Amino acid sequence: MIQLTNRQARQFLLLKHGLLGEYRFTGKQGVLDYIRQVGCIQFDPIDVCGKNAELVLQSRIKGFTKSMLDELLYTDRLLVDYPDKNLAIIPVEEWPYFERYRQAARRHAERYPEMEDLTEQVRAHIQNHGALSSDDLKLEGNFAWQSAIHWSSGNNSTRSVLEQMYSTGELIIQRKKGTRKYYDIAGKYIQPNLLNAPEPLTDELEHHKWRVLRRIGAVGLLWNRASDAWLNIWGLKSGQRNEVFRQLLHEGRIVAVAVEQMKDRLYCRAEDLPLVEAVLQNPAPKLRCQLIAPLDNLIWDRKLINELFGFDYTWEIYTPALKRKFGYYVLPLLYGESFIGRAEVTAERKTGTLIVKNIWYEKGIKPTKPMRAALNYCFQRFALFNGCGTISAEYE
């Protein structure tokens, strides 16, 4: 059992994510290294000041540009879009571990016999014309479809067939243009040794162990209790989760962590113990200021973040406007080892202006001169990330 103070636990989490002190990850290789470390980052198409996956990376990767992620996905093919923790981006080498989900999607197709002829039309169109989006081909059909492996559903026949073929792994996302996805045959882009690999962990318990260990690595510290961090791990109920934690502890793959004044034990991966040792050396890291993505790995478990950091964050994008406490697309604001507030930022790309609509500081936070300087530098980098040459502050 490792004993940590609250501050040490926070430092460990932030160091793990490359959010404290000097940058741990740099450039395009840093993007790949970070995503391999955490297993996946969530994708969301909404783009107010960068898409969620891009926002995750800009806070951690020195010199990050949006083209780096695009190249790794659609040129280098070292990353791939596939449902993991909801819609996500994963390293392509982990494709085989999700074969059970593709098999489930293939079985699910039996519920929609009307799709068979439409699927053949898609195959023929791709063979003759290449990658396509749902706007490029009009398929006639009258059925309501729902994905077996993620939340996509609807009555648009073309979109439903494409999403179904994507779920089974026959198609992958060849590229994105704005919010539009273009699909192509997966075999053109994923190496045969990965594309046709059998399920590496056929036993459900072993698969659960792999996924839980991966999610602990994705956050850094997690507890054995209900959590959004376990989303989309099929069949992982409390009994199964307890057995997974018991075995991972017995095998020495995770380590229990007691944090002062916290009732629940936390757990980290054994391979992250060097970071724990670094924290125990009582470091005084350089303070950085970063805007954090709304679906950031660090804050997948909002209750854990509230306990450790005293920061209560809700993404209010789906909250009716009159009921919002803050705003439509508000990002947590991290300074050093603490969340000091949240900011509503919009990138107006036509005018090349980053608009800082408002900053709400946490109770007891009074901006110091160094904090304001760090905040200004943060917004300068964020403007550059969004291709904006001007910053406009609308708050007082």
Side-chain angles (χ1 to χ4, degrees), residues 9-71:
R10 285 185 280 125
Q11 284 186 333
F12 168 79
L13 270 179
L14 295 173
L15 284 172
K16 161 81 174 169
H17 283 277
L19 289 167
L20 187 63
E22 300 296 335
Y23 285 91
R24 288 183 59 207
F25 306 98
T26 302
K28 192 169 157 183
Q29 184 61 45
V31 174
L32 189 59
D33 290 343
Y34 177 73
I35 295 178
R36 282 176 171 162
Q37 171 185 288
V38 296
C40 81
I41 55 176
Q42 278 187 256
F43 172 79
D44 187 89
I46 296 169
D47 190 351
V48 173
C49 51
K51 299 184 183 75
N52 182 76
E54 297 166 342
L55 292 170
V56 170
L57 297 169
Q58 64 80 32
S59 63
R60 294 154 165 80
I61 314 298
K62 187 175 183 180
F64 175 74
T65 62
K66 298 175 185 181
S67 64
M68 291 177 184
L69 180 60
D70 197 71
E71 287 173 13

Side-chain angles (χ1 to χ4, degrees), residues 195-231:
L195 185 71
N196 304 317
E199 174 83 26
L201 302 169
T202 54
D203 180 77
E204 184 176 57
L205 177 59
E206 291 302 315
H207 179 75
H208 280 159
K209 285 162 63 177
W210 180 78
R211 296 205 74 187
V212 166
L213 186 64
R214 193 163 164 273
R215 294 289 174 88
I216 293 172
V219 178
L221 287 172
L222 275 176
W223 40 29
N224 179 16
R225 54 183 268 190
S227 170
D228 281 352
W230 314 128
L231 281 175

